Amino acid sequence: MAKFFGVVIDEKRLAAIKGTPLEEKVEPIFGGALKRLVIEVPDDLGQKVIEQFSKARFDARGFIEETPAAFKRLVFKKIVEMKSLGPEVIEAAVAEIPSIKDDIEKEDRELPVPDIDISDVLELQKNPVQKPA
């Protein structure tokens, strides 16, 4: 049975694949609140990914979960470079794990701050009691 690797797509990542065939492969999750790309991974390659990270696991759906954020960023970088959602993307990312070891070690100590725009939330926090318009 094949395994899967999901990559969450935010607006910045969506802009990076806009106009490519990859854009058509984006699927909504959580009622459309988030989007993702899914890579189908052969069992042996999926096991190889799991073995690279102490917290990684297969979930009940066969998705590879609990991989470091640095690895997920690397996988997305490879998706954009290779313009593919094939297992070769995961193979290339696994081959480059030594280049992100420092980032992975930092994540074990402290999670990185997400690179998202929260200016609207900060504005709302200035006046926490909202009055009807």
Side-chain angles (χ1 to χ4, degrees):
M1 183 174 132
K3 305 298 183 198
F4 304 95
F5 190 88
V7 179
V8 175
I9 303 296
D10 61 5
E11 295 303 319
K12 192 180 194 181
R13 287 180 172 178
L14 191 57
I17 61 171
K18 193 141 187 90
T20 69
L22 294 172
E23 184 181 17
E24 297 170 10
K25 307 275 184 176
V26 173
E27 59 183 46
I29 55 174
F30 301 115
L34 295 174
K35 295 173 176 37
R36 75 173 172 199
L37 289 170
V38 177
I39 300 171
E40 190 169 330
V41 182
D43 286 338
D44 58 331
L45 184 55
Q47 191 60 45
K48 189 173 181 180
V49 172
I50 295 294
E51 290 167 0
Q52 300 297 314
F53 309 109
S54 61
K55 297 176 186 170
R57 63 180 177 78
F58 295 118
D59 70 6
R61 304 164 300 148
F63 273 78
I64 301 167
E65 296 290 349
E66 307 299 331
T67 58
F71 182 69
K72 292 175 185 173
R73 286 191 300 272
L74 178 60
V75 170
F76 181 74
K77 179 181 162 191
K78 293 295 167 194
I79 288 171
V80 172
E81 284 176 10
M82 301 172 90
K83 295 178 178 51
S84 171
L85 290 177
E88 65 275 4
V89 170
I90 300 294
E91 288 172 2
V94 167
E96 286 192 30
I97 287 175
S99 71
I100 60 168
K101 281 288 187 194
D102 290 342
D103 293 336
I104 292 169
E105 288 173 13
K106 285 181 198 173
E107 282 182 44
D108 282 343
R109 293 187 301 274
E110 181 179 328
L111 285 175
V113 176
D115 182 21
I116 57 173
D117 178 19
I118 59 166
S119 58
D120 56 337
V121 174
L122 295 174
E123 192 62 36
L124 287 172
Q125 287 179 344
K126 290 179 183 176
N127 183 12
V129 179
Q130 302 295 314
K131 297 176 183 171

